Amino acid sequence: MSKTGDSQEQNQAPLIEHLIELRSRLIRAVVAILVIFLGLYAFANDIYTFVAQPLMALLPEGSQMIATEVASPFLAPFKLTLVLAVFIAIPYVLHQAWAFVAPGLYDNEKALALPILASSVALFYAGAAFAYYVVFPLLFQFFTQTGPEDVAVMTDINQYLNFVLKLFFAFGVAFEIPIATFLLILSGATTVESLSKKRPYVILGCFVVGMLLTPPDVISQSLLAVPMYLLYEVGLLFGRLVRRRKAADDEEDE
């Protein structure tokens, strides 16, 4: 009985150590987000003004946003600043996740994981920037110019924030398609040839996703669907390059 008890304790010890380390990593990530949030909160209203600029620039002179709820003037900038803090802290949060899982990886897996993590973060940021600088001006111009002339556009600040955060997230995730495609090919789950034959379905799927994640208009759906398909092609390109490199390495080994 004592030997059995000792073996159980020995098995539980590594698990407890991993849980303690996981808690430590999570605390560090949360503290980083809170520190960034506290540093940004003094500029919360300025940050909201910056995010609202694509719409405000297209409104008639003298127009302004409105707050239909009592707490909205406080909660909307607060929420945006918190989301921005998480957004900025993503590299550090992923670094903590990497530090937790890295000891269990092989050297070749480590060499591949770091570029994938870095490119994933960069692509997510690129998707959000694309939404702000390209999609928002075109989208809001369409919305503000297609309505009846006698209807004044006065957007609620909370509704606007929910709208743009949804688009930021949609475009950020959509720009991860090359990474997902590359990993599917690298893992052997599929091949470049198989994915190439499914282009018609991929195009249809991109427009379906655009329809689900964007407002119900053709412009915003196309602005998401077209980049998604182009990024899919980029993933196929990298998949071909990796396959050729593997083939060359195998020939050298032989």
Side-chain angles (χ1 to χ4, degrees):
M1 291 294 292
S2 60
K3 290 184 178 180
T4 304
D6 291 340
S7 62
Q8 289 179 348
E9 291 179 0
Q10 291 175 357
N11 292 333
Q12 290 177 353
L15 176 60
I16 294 174
E17 291 177 0
H18 286 309
L19 291 176
I20 293 174
E21 184 181 359
L22 177 61
R23 184 186 65 177
S24 175
R25 299 292 179 185
L26 289 174
I27 291 175
R28 292 180 186 179
V30 172
V31 169
I33 293 172
L34 289 177
V35 169
I36 296 173
F37 171 75
L38 293 175
L40 293 175
Y41 185 70
F43 309 97
N45 291 334
D46 296 329
I47 294 170
Y48 189 93
T49 301
F50 175 78
V51 173
Q53 185 59 32
L55 176 61
M56 296 300 298
L58 297 170
L59 293 180
E61 187 176 354
S63 299
Q64 60 184 5
M65 288 188 173
I66 61 173
T68 58
E69 298 178 1
V70 176
S72 290
F74 166 76
L75 290 180
F78 180 92
K79 178 180 177 180
L80 176 59
T81 306
L82 182 59
V83 172
L84 180 61
V86 175
F87 190 77
I88 294 174
I90 283 177
Y92 182 77
V93 173
L94 290 179
H95 170 71
Q96 293 301 315
W98 165 255
F100 178 72
V101 301
L105 300 178
Y106 295 106
D107 291 338
N108 59 336
E109 292 174 336
K110 292 179 181 180
L112 184 62
L114 281 176
I116 289 177
L117 285 175
S119 57
S120 298
V121 174
L123 285 171
F124 189 88
Y125 286 163
F130 180 83
Y132 182 83
Y133 289 105
V134 178
V135 177
F136 287 1
L138 295 174
L139 193 60
F140 295 145
Q141 185 176 17
F142 171 77
F143 286 158
T144 56
Q145 293 182 358
T146 55
E149 295 182 358
D150 56 346
V151 174
V153 180
M154 293 186 296
T155 304
D156 175 67
I157 60 173
N158 195 47
Q159 294 296 326
Y160 175 81
L161 178 60
N162 292 334
F163 178 83
V164 297
L165 288 181
K166 181 180 178 181
L167 288 181
F168 277 136
F169 180 78
F171 279 88
V173 172
F175 270 58
E176 300 293 331
I177 287 178
I179 302 297
T181 306
F182 174 78
L183 289 176
L184 286 173
I185 297 172
L186 184 66
S187 64
T190 186
T191 62
V192 175
E193 291 75 13
S194 177
L195 291 176
S196 299
K197 293 178 181 178
K198 296 177 181 177
R199 280 192 178 95
Y201 302 102
V202 172
I203 295 173
L204 177 62
C206 289
F207 278 93
V208 170
V209 172
M211 177 185 66
L212 295 175
L213 296 181
T214 61
D217 65 277
V218 177
I219 294 179
S220 57
Q221 292 171 11
S222 300
L223 287 174
L224 179 58
V226 173
M228 284 176 65
Y229 174 71
L230 295 177
L231 291 167
Y232 174 78
E233 292 292 342
V234 171
L236 290 181
L237 176 62
F238 280 107
R240 290 190 182 95
L241 294 176
V242 170
R243 187 183 62 180
R244 291 174 184 174
R245 184 174 179 179
K246 277 188 173 181
D249 292 339
D250 292 339
E251 291 178 357
E252 290 180 359
D253 294 337
E254 292 177 358

